[in-house]
Amino acid sequence: MEAITGYVSYALPIATVLVGVWLLVTVVRYVRADKDTRVSMRQAVRVRWGWVRLARMAGLTVTDKTPGLLAQITASKDGATPAPRVLTPKIKVKPDPYGVIVQARTLPQVGLEEYQKSARFLADAWRCTRVSVLPDGPGRVVIRGVRSDPLTTPTTHRPTGLPLADLTRWELGVDEYASRVSVSLANVPGVTVAGVPGAGKTSGVNKFVCDFAPSAAVQIVTVDGKVSRASEGDYADLVKRMFAFCGDDLDEANTLFKRLVELRKRRSSVIRDVLGVKNMWHVGPSPEWPLTVLIIDEAHTYFREHKGSDPTTKRLGALTAENARLVEDLVKKGRSVGILVILISQKTTGDAIPTFIRDVCPIGLSFAQKTVEAAVAALGEDIRNWPNASPVTLQDPAYVGVAVMAMQGRPGYTRIRTPYVSDADAARVAEVTSHLTADPDLCLDALLRATGRTTTPTPSLTK
C-alpha cells in the first residue's frame, strides 16, 4: 500500500502538468485560428459532448444483450441478471474553417447506410448547411458537416511557382463539402469545358496553366477564338509560357493543327524505340518528351459549319471541316503519345464541338448554363436525373466559378468551387517560367539525336 501511495503522489502532479499542457496548446490553437475556424472549434466541442445523446436519438446505437466478462463475474456473485449494454460508436472530431469532419466507427446494424439515413438529423443537430457520409475504410465512416456553403464562398489561389510533384493530377478546387477535388490526367485524351460567358471557364483553365507551367515536362499551345493577337484577351499574361499561340484566324489555326498532327505522327512512329513503351503514361512525361497540352478556347470558332455557295464561304467551310478532322486525330490518337486537348465553348452541343470529338473526351466540366439541353450536351443525359446538381441552377452571381462534373467513384454529379487566380499572379508565373518554354518538335529532335537516331526536322511552331 505504501508503494501504491507513493506512485499516486507522483501521478497526480504529472497528470496535472499534462492537462495543463493540453489546455495551453488548445488555447494557443484557438487564439491563432481565424474567425471561421474558431466557430468550428466551438462547434466541435458541442459535437463531442452531445454525441452519446444524439446517437441514441438518431438510432445510431445498438443494444448488446451479451454481458461482458466483468458483468458475468459480478452477476455470478450477486445472482442478478446482467443488464444489456447500449453501445455507442466512437468518434473523432476535427474542425476546419467550413465546419467539422467526424470520423466514426461502425457497429453491427449501424453501418454506412444507417449513418446516411441520419445525415439530415445530424445536420440539424450540428447546425450545418449540409452533411455527407462516405466510407472511410473497413469499419469506419467519415461524416462531413459544413456550416457555411463552400460553393458560395469565393476562393483564391496563389501559385507557388514550384513544379508539381504529380503531373497526372489536376487540382480543380473544393466540392460542396469543402473536400479537395482532383482528376487524373493519365491516359486522358481530352477535356471539355462549357458554360455561359463570365461563368468561370477561362479562370479555371488559367489555374491549370499556372499550376503546370513550372514543369519543363509540360508544354502548352493555345488557340483562342475570342482574340486576333496574343497580346489580347484572357491569355495575354500567360503567352510567354506557351510555345505557340494563334487567334481567330482560321488559316493560322489550321496550320497549327496540322503541325500538331505531324508531331503526333512522329511520336507514334518512334515511341517504342525511344521510350521503350507503347504508352507514354507508363513512364510519365519528361522535358525530352513533354505532355503537350492544346487549349482551344471558343472552340466553335474553328469547327462551326459555314453555309453558302460563294467561294469565300466554301473555303471557310472546308477549313472548319478540316480543323474538325485534325483535332479528331489528336483526341483519338494523341493520348498514348502524351497529347491532351482541352476544348472550351459556351455550349458543347454538336454544332459547337462535333460529337465525334466531344464524346471521346472522358472529362467534362460545365459551369452555369441557361438551358437543360446545354447541360445535357456538356454532361450527358444522366444529368436530367440529378436536377439539384444541374448547372442550370448555377446562374446566380454567387456561383461564378462553380462547375459541375461526374466524378469517377461517386454517384451522380459533383459541384466544384474553382479558385480565382489573379492576373498579376498569372503574369508572375509566366514570367519566371518562360525559360522552360520549348517546342515539342525540337525536344523530339534532340531526344532522337541523343539516342543515336535520325529524323527529318519539322518546322518549329512560332508565336
Side-chain angles (χ1 to χ4, degrees):
M1 290 298 295
E2 292 180 0
I4 295 175
T5 304
Y7 283 125
V8 171
S9 64
Y10 285 112
L12 185 59
I14 292 174
T16 303
V17 171
L18 292 176
V19 171
V21 171
W22 176 79
L23 288 174
L24 179 61
V25 171
T26 301
V27 169
V28 170
R29 287 179 178 173
Y30 184 83
V31 171
R32 295 183 63 182
D34 57 71
K35 180 181 177 181
D36 291 330
T37 303
R38 290 180 186 178
V39 176
S40 297
M41 292 174 75
R42 296 194 296 269
Q43 182 185 20
V45 172
R46 294 195 302 270
V47 170
R48 291 190 192 97
W49 287 356
W51 172 245
V52 174
R53 183 181 179 187
L54 177 61
R56 291 181 179 179
M57 290 190 295
L60 296 177
T61 59
V62 63
T63 301
D64 185 2
K65 297 182 180 179
T66 303
L69 179 61
L70 181 60
Q72 292 181 24
I73 294 175
T74 304
S76 63
K77 292 182 179 179
D78 299 341
T81 303
R85 297 176 299 162
V86 178
L87 303 182
T88 304
K90 295 181 179 180
I91 64 170
K92 292 182 179 179
V93 187
K94 179 182 178 182
D96 68 9
Y98 294 100
V100 291
I101 301 173
V102 180
Q103 293 177 309
R105 291 282 184 178
T106 60
L107 295 173
Q109 299 183 8
V110 180
L112 175 64
E113 185 177 350
E114 285 68 34
Y115 279 105
Q116 290 175 336
K117 289 180 179 178
S118 301
R120 62 190 182 96
F121 302 118
L122 300 179
D124 292 337
W126 294 345
R127 301 173 188 174
C128 290
T129 302
R130 61 176 71 93
V131 165
S132 74
V133 183
L134 296 173
D136 191 35
R140 298 191 305 272
V141 297
V142 58
I143 308 171
R144 177 48 160 154
V146 290
R147 187 183 60 263
S148 57
D149 191 348
L151 297 180
T152 58
T153 305
T155 57
T156 58
H157 173 69
R158 184 173 175 81
T160 63
L162 300 175
L164 294 176
D166 185 1
L167 292 177
T168 66
R169 308 299 299 179
W170 180 7
E171 296 286 342
L172 292 172
V174 297
D175 65 11
E176 54 197 302
Y177 299 100
S179 299
R180 292 187 176 276
V181 177
S182 64
V183 295
S184 174
L185 295 179
N187 286 300
V188 171
V191 177
T192 60
V193 183
V196 297
K201 303 186 300 296
T202 304
S203 178
V205 176
N206 278 353
K207 179 184 181 297
F208 171 90
V209 176
C210 289
D211 286 346
F212 283 82
S215 175
V218 178
Q219 298 299 335
I220 301 166
V221 53
T222 299
V223 294
D224 186 0
K226 299 191 298 292
V227 300
S228 299
R229 293 181 294 275
S231 59
E232 303 172 348
D234 299 310
Y235 301 99
D237 295 319
L238 297 170
V239 73
K240 290 183 179 179
R241 186 54 182 90
M242 298 176 182
F243 71 89
F245 182 96
C246 80
D248 56 3
D249 188 288
L250 293 183
D251 290 295
E252 290 184 12
N254 184 261
T255 301
L256 183 55
F257 294 150
K258 286 180 178 178
R259 292 186 176 183
L260 289 172
V261 169
E262 286 303 312
L263 171 65
R264 196 277 306 164
K265 292 179 179 178
R266 293 182 66 206
R267 283 186 170 186
S268 296
S269 66
V270 300
I271 183 171
R272 186 177 298 190
D273 293 335
V274 174
L275 298 184
V277 293
K278 294 185 293 183
N279 188 332
M280 183 278 293
W281 290 105
H282 292 167
V283 295
S286 65
E288 295 77 21
W289 194 292
L291 170 63
T292 302
V293 182
L294 168 61
I295 299 172
I296 308 178
D297 205 340
E298 298 295 330
H300 53 273
T301 302
Y302 309 99
F303 303 136
R304 71 182 182 89
E305 184 179 356
H306 291 264
K307 296 181 179 180
S309 57
D310 59 284
T312 301
T313 303
K314 286 184 177 180
R315 190 181 72 84
L316 292 176
L319 272 176
T320 55
E322 186 176 24
N323 287 342
R325 180 183 61 79
L326 294 170
V327 173
E328 179 189 16
D329 180 282
L330 294 173
V331 172
K332 291 186 175 180
K333 302 178 182 179
R335 172 187 58 83
S336 62
V337 296
I339 296 177
L340 170 67
V341 182
I342 300 178
L343 301 117
I344 309 168
S345 185
Q346 295 176 23
K347 295 191 301 181
T348 54
T349 50
D351 58 335
I353 299 177
T355 55
F356 52 78
I357 296 176
R358 183 195 68 193
D359 294 345
V360 180
C361 299
I363 298 177
L365 289 89
S366 179
F367 291 81
Q369 296 284 7
K370 287 189 175 182
T371 65
V372 175
E373 289 70 24
V376 169
L379 300 171
E381 282 287 340
D382 192 42
I383 191 62
R384 297 183 188 272
N385 300 321
W386 302 85
N388 292 335
S390 174
V392 177
T393 64
L394 303 178
Q395 297 182 57
D396 190 283
Y399 292 114
V400 171
V402 177
V404 180
M405 73 175 298
M407 292 289 297
Q408 187 175 11
R410 292 193 190 184
Y413 292 82
T414 300
R415 294 182 291 178
I416 305 162
R417 159 63 66 178
T418 61
Y420 172 74
V421 179
S422 69
D423 293 339
D425 283 334
R428 171 180 57 85
V429 171
E431 182 68 35
V432 299
T433 62
S434 59
H435 66 284
L436 300 175
T437 305
D439 184 340
D441 261 311
L442 300 181
C443 294
L444 183 57
D445 289 340
L447 181 60
L448 291 171
R449 287 194 298 269
T451 56
R453 304 176 188 279
T454 60
T455 181
T456 302
T458 299
S460 62
L461 301 176
T462 57
K463 293 180 181 177

